[in-house]
């Protein structure tokens, strides 16, 4: 029984990391088609905001919320200053966001220094027979599931979700119907950044915050979103489940390095067979 | 007034000659001899700079102190700093630049073994001298290389003695960084564990950017060791200590390390996460000797930084002081003269961590070693060893017999 629970936990944990780091990018790249190379740095900002809040005495759970909102606001500011001039210009966006990424890493290094800032991992562990499992890991799995549910409700059952989806599908038609597409783009970008900042804040108690933290996750999140295909939510779920299962099992049997190699290998084969991603041919749903 | 070109040049050259008079006069004076040039090549930026930042400052402090007390052999010491950016290609670029363009007398630098191995052949080619101020896996036998940090026989052997023979933690699980330091160090760990009747259950390597250790922690749980030995390196790997505490905890499985603390990990983890981690070190802030306290005070005054100073900062001062002593004994700052002086085995200083003596046959340093445990983001001393020699390298290296040797010897497991 214990080995099965252990595998389930490892898979769930890996799944939750894939979900957390990819959801923001699924909005920004999957829906808005912006190749945002600074996505990892938004995650890093979330980690730093959360650390600063916690170190100044704010409760960790509140800090995570504050960090997510703060990164969302940063995202809106960056959209107004930089991204809004570049919609539809993929190569220019790529260069501009790469520059933004370097700028943010440099700025954070200058302000906080290059060392790892961290906060203590909360909650301790729970024993299942002889197997010890960190409660924070279980919290991460639960959080990612709740987040998915909330996003589903948001996209499918709110007016905001409807407007965003229609604008992304056909901005011309949406604006004829009286929708302010500038505003929608701005809010959607900010929302994507907020999700990424949330991921950074959630990850901080286990990995710490350092200026180059984003680089660890940026490639993984792009691979997940691209493999997921055009539907931001279903695509991310399916790709994360696939990669999380592979990574969780392989990394437990052999090593983390082999786990990552196999994930990338599977992604290559997957994209060879389904160039548009897992949900590439689906037109309905989110 | 309108000047034609000729008048302008006459006037300008006159003005230039006048303006440069102080420099010309200064150069002719006895007090300003030609400076002795020292290169310092360390990582000010990038993922490995947690080891370098304070060493860079301590090196500068040691050079300033030499200059404020009359210089070396009556000459000032001039420091050239190069940022190797945690990337080996910059080590090779800057070591060449330091030796060829800036003609330095000595190079202090390199933190990782990979950066050292990049620089060593270049230092040999241009007949320079490299002071490597870092703990490492031992075995480098090269007269142009001086190691001032701990090697496994000094650090890991007493650590394994304490852990296995005194604490009785026989079953060991080894985690190491995935490059030459981690690979060779893990072999030393296995060797010392087996020699003491212990058992090495597994050895795992982690690339420097890995920060998710959950799968490894589950493997550790199923292997059921008494103790985990870590030779993990760098900022990302700090996550291991945090995840270990929140998943398993040191009350269930003990934790010892050859690298913990040198990157000031203990100041970045909470007290609970760091408490009880067992390490061996040649310097820590709470050593509580007059020399150690004086060094900590001087460093804090020099930098204005009140935080924990640590072993790698002390290595910076140690390296410069040992080199300066070799220059004094040689009466000459050239690399050849220093190497000659070092080979006599008489270069010895009284540093912040006690007496440091360079062994003439290996160019490695004999020093005091302390077993300490993490306590409230600092360290408590458990046991001390006076003047431990670099025995592992002494067993394989004799530069008196083979002055042309430049091999790095590795242990057999």
């Amino acid at each position: 029984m214990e080995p099965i629970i252990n595998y389930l936990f490892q898979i769930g944990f890996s799944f939750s990391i894939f979900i957390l780091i990819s959801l923001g990018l699924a909005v920004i790249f999957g829906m808005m088609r912006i190749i945002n190379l600074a996505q990892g740095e938004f995650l890093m900002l979330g980690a730093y905001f959360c650390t600063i809040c916690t170190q100044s005495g704010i409760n960790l759970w509140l800090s995570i919320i504050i960090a997510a909102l703060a990164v969302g606001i940063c995202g809106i500011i960056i959209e107004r200053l930089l991204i809004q001039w570049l919609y539809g210009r993929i190569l220019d966006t790529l260069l501009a966001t790469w520059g933004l990424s370097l700028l943010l890493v440099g700025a954070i290094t200058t302000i906080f220094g290059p060392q790892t800032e961290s906060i203590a991992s909360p909650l301790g562990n729970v024993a299942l027979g002889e197997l010890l499992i960190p409660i924070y890991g279980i919290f991460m799995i639960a959080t990612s599931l709740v987040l998915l549910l909330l996003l589903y409700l948001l996209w499918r059952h709110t007016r905001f979700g409807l407007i965003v989806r229609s604008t992304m599908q056909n901005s011309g038609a949406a604006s004829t119907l009286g929708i302010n597409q500038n505003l929608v783009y701005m809010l959607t970008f900010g929302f994507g950044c907020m999700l990424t900042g949330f991921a950074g804040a959630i990850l901080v108690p286990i990995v710490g915050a350092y200026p180059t933290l984003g680089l660890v996750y940026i490639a993984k999140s792009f691979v997940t979103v691209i493999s997921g295909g055009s539907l931001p939510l279903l695509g991310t779920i399916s790709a994360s489940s696939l990669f999380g299962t592979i990574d969780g099992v392989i990394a437990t049997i052999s090593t983390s390095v082999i786990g990552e190699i196999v994930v990338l290998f599977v992604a290559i084969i997957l994209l060879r067979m389904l160039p548009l991603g897992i949900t590439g041919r689906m037109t309905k749903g989110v | 007034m309108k000047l034609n070109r000729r008048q302008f040049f006459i006037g300008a050259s006159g003005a230039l000659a006048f303006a440069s008079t102080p420099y010309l006069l200064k150069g002719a004076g006895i007090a300003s001899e030609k400076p002795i040039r020292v290169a310092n090549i360390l990582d000010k930026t990038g993922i490995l700079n947690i080891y370098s930042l304070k060493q860079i400052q301590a090196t500068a402090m040691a050079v300033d102190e030499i200059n404020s007390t009359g210089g070396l052999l009556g000459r000032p010491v001039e420091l050239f700093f190069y940022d190797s950016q945690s990337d080996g290609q910059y080590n090779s670029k800057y070591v060449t630049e330091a030796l060829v363009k800036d003609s330095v007398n000595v190079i202090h630098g390199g933190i990782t073994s990979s950066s050292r191995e990049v620089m060593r052949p270049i230092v040999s080619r241009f007949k320079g001298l490299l002071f490597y101020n870092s703990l490492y896996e031992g075995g480098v036998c090269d007269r142009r290389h001086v190691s001032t940090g701990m090697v496994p026989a000094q650090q890991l052997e007493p650590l394994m003695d304490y852990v296995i023979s005194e604490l009785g933690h026989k079953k060991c699980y080894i985690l190491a960084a995935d490059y030459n330091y981690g690979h060779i160090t893990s072999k030393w760990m296995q060797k010392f564990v087996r020699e003491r009747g212990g058992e090495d259950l597994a050895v795992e390597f982690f690339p420097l950017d890995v920060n998710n250790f959950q799968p490894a922690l589950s493997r550790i749980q199923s292997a059921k060791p008494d103790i985990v030995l870590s030779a993990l390196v760098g900022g990302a790997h700090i996550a291991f200590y945090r995840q270990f505490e929140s998943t398993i905890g040191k009350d269930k499985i003990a934790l010892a390390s050859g690298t913990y603390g040198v990157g000031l990990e203990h100041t970045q983890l909470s007290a609970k996460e760091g408490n009880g981690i067992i390490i061996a070190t040649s310097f820590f802030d709470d050593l509580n000797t007059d020399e150690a306290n004086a060094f900590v005070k001087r460093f804090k005054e020099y930098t204005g930084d009140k935080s924990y100073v640590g072993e790698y900062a002390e290595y910076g001062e140690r390296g410069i002081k040992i080199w300066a002593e070799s220059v004094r004994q040689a009466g000459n700052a050239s690399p050849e003269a220093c190497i000659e002086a070092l080979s006599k085995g008489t270069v010895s200083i009284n540093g912040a961590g006690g007496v440091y003596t360079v062994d003439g046959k290996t160019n490695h340093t004999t020093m005091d070693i302390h077993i300490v445990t993490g306590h409230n983001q600092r360290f408590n001393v458990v046991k001390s060893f006076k003047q431990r020699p670099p025995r592992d390298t002494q067993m394989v290296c004799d530069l008196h017999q083979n002055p042309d040797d430049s091999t790095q010897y590795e242990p057999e497991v």
Side-chain angles (χ1 to χ4, degrees), chain A:
Chain A
M1 192 59 196
E2 275 168 27
I4 298 171
I5 293 175
N6 184 28
Y7 277 112
L8 285 178
F9 170 72
Q10 298 297 342
I11 291 169
F13 187 74
S14 189
F15 168 78
S16 74
I17 289 181
F18 277 108
I19 286 286
L20 287 168
I21 62 172
S22 308
L23 276 179
L25 191 70
V27 172
I28 288 171
F29 175 64
M31 292 174 77
M32 302 177 74
R33 313 310 302 173
I34 300 168
I35 300 182
N36 181 14
L37 290 184
Q39 196 68 20
E41 279 58 48
F42 287 118
L43 187 135
M44 178 269 289
L45 283 181
Y48 269 94
F49 279 128
C50 182
T51 312
I52 298 165
C53 291
T54 318
Q55 284 175 350
S56 59
I58 301 172
N59 169 299
L60 172 67
W61 315 112
L62 196 59
S63 303
I64 292 175
I65 308 284
I66 296 173
L69 291 174
V71 177
I73 291 167
C74 288
I76 288 178
I77 294 169
I78 284 164
E79 199 271 350
R80 281 297 94 180
L81 293 176
L82 185 72
I83 308 289
Q84 68 156 325
W85 315 107
L86 301 169
Y87 286 122
R89 292 157 61 184
I90 287 186
L91 203 62
D92 300 352
T93 322
L94 199 114
L95 283 174
T97 54
W98 186 34
L100 178 67
S101 148
L102 296 175
L103 177 78
L104 288 173
V105 172
I108 291 293
T109 312
T110 311
I111 298 169
F112 296 101
Q115 73 280 8
T116 308
E117 298 285 336
S118 71
I119 48 186
S121 204
L123 300 178
N125 55 27
V126 58
L128 296 163
E130 288 198 347
L131 176 70
L132 297 167
I133 287 179
I135 299 175
Y136 195 77
I138 300 172
F139 164 76
M140 275 172 62
I141 298 172
T143 307
S144 57
L145 293 174
V146 170
L147 195 61
L148 287 173
L149 182 69
L150 288 178
L151 280 179
Y152 175 78
L153 294 176
L154 178 76
W155 295 140
R156 288 307 293 236
H157 296 286
T158 66
R159 194 174 153 74
F160 175 74
L162 184 68
I163 291 173
V164 168
R165 284 189 296 134
S166 63
T167 310
M168 298 309 148
Q169 267 175 18
N170 189 336
S171 61
S175 82
T176 343
L177 292 171
I179 287 165
N180 180 349
Q181 49 162 312
N182 263 339
L183 184 70
V184 173
Y185 271 108
M186 182 182 87
L187 290 178
T188 315
F189 189 85
F191 184 70
C193 292
M194 188 182 83
L195 288 175
T196 312
F198 180 74
I202 290 273
L203 283 170
V204 121
I206 57 167
V207 300
Y210 45 97
T212 51
L213 177 66
L215 298 177
V216 178
Y217 296 110
I218 184 77
K220 262 190 192 172
S221 57
F222 266 102
V223 168
T224 312
V225 174
I226 292 172
S227 303
S230 58
L231 299 184
L233 203 57
L234 193 61
T236 310
I237 294 172
S238 48
S240 298
S241 315
L242 178 69
F243 296 156
T245 308
I246 295 170
D247 186 54
V249 173
I250 304 280
T252 310
I253 295 171
S254 57
T255 69
S256 313
V257 181
I258 307 283
E260 292 199 357
I261 292 172
V262 176
V263 164
L264 291 176
F265 187 70
V266 170
I268 291 169
I269 295 178
L270 185 86
L271 288 173
R272 178 68 190 83
M273 283 158 38
L274 299 167
L276 296 174
I278 299 170
T279 61
R281 294 188 184 282
M282 300 185 192
T283 47
K284 283 183 174 175
V286 284

Side-chain angles (χ1 to χ4, degrees), chain B residues 50-304:
Chain B
I50 54 172
Y51 301 106
S52 291
L53 291 170
K54 293 205 167 181
Q55 190 170 123
I56 294 168
Q57 295 172 315
T59 307
M61 178 179 86
V63 168
D64 282 356
E65 281 173 1
I66 290 175
N67 285 331
S68 66
T69 52
L72 258 184
L73 311 174
R75 291 165 67 184
V77 178
E78 190 180 358
L79 184 66
F80 290 72
F81 176 74
Y82 310 82
D83 178 7
S84 44
Q85 304 171 34
S86 307
D87 183 342
Q89 63 164 322
Y90 291 103
N91 286 94
S92 96
K93 175 178 181 303
Y94 289 134
V95 79
T96 314
E97 190 176 318
L99 289 164
V100 177
K101 180 167 154 272
D102 298 329
S103 327
V104 300
N105 296 75
V106 65
I107 292 158
H108 285 258
I111 288 289
T112 61
S113 296
S114 42
S115 69
R116 180 199 66 237
E117 288 307 297
V118 166
M119 296 196 288
R120 215 152 57 79
I122 303 172
V123 171
S124 290
R125 193 189 318 149
F126 294 110
K127 304 204 179 337
L129 174 61
L130 171 68
F131 270 71
Y132 176 53
N133 307 311
S134 175
L135 73 87
Y136 87 108
E137 68 281 1
V140 170
C141 192
D142 184 338
R143 57 200 286 273
R144 299 193 175 273
H145 161 270
V146 182
S147 158
T148 59
M150 299 180 287
V151 290
Q154 294 171 303
Q155 187 204 14
L156 298 177
E157 201 169 11
L159 186 64
M160 292 301 105
D161 263 338
Y162 177 69
V163 163
I164 295 177
S165 310
E166 294 196 26
L167 299 181
H169 295 319
K170 285 204 182 320
K171 285 190 280 180
C172 307
Y173 198 104
I174 300 169
L175 308 177
D178 197 0
Y179 68 104
N180 52 356
Y181 168 75
H183 281 263
I184 301 175
T185 301
S186 68
K187 280 192 199 167
W188 279 114
M189 285 177 166
Q190 287 178 296
K191 188 174 154 67
F192 292 140
V193 166
R194 288 176 195 175
E195 282 172 1
R196 279 154 190 77
E199 189 185 348
D200 49 308
L201 300 175
V203 182
E204 278 195 48
F205 299 104
F206 298 90
L208 292 177
D209 61 351
V210 168
N211 62 12
N212 176 14
F213 290 90
Q214 285 304 332
L217 287 167
S218 99
R219 282 192 294 279
I220 291 172
Q221 290 194 46
S222 36
K224 298 192 176 57
D226 300 324
I227 189 163
V228 171
L229 306 175
S230 136
L232 297 170
V233 172
H237 285 181
I238 296 178
F240 169 75
Y241 302 105
R242 197 174 297 122
Q243 292 170 24
F244 183 86
E245 190 56 35
S246 69
T247 308
I248 300 175
K250 286 179 289 294
D251 48 341
K252 302 225 170 41
I253 298 175
L255 188 55
S257 173
T259 45
Y260 179 81
V262 296
L264 306 179
E265 287 87 347
H266 56 291
T267 62
Q268 291 149 20
L269 295 172
S270 72
K272 185 167 175 285
E273 287 161 345
N275 283 354
I277 297 182
I278 311 160
I279 65 165
T281 175
S282 64
F283 181 84
F284 58 106
D285 285 23
D286 299 316
L287 186 55
N288 211 12
T289 60
D290 292 346
E291 290 82 3
N293 293 341
F295 168 73
V296 169
K297 186 161 171 281
R298 274 185 296 131
F299 185 83
K300 287 185 174 171
E301 277 168 8
Y302 182 82
T303 57

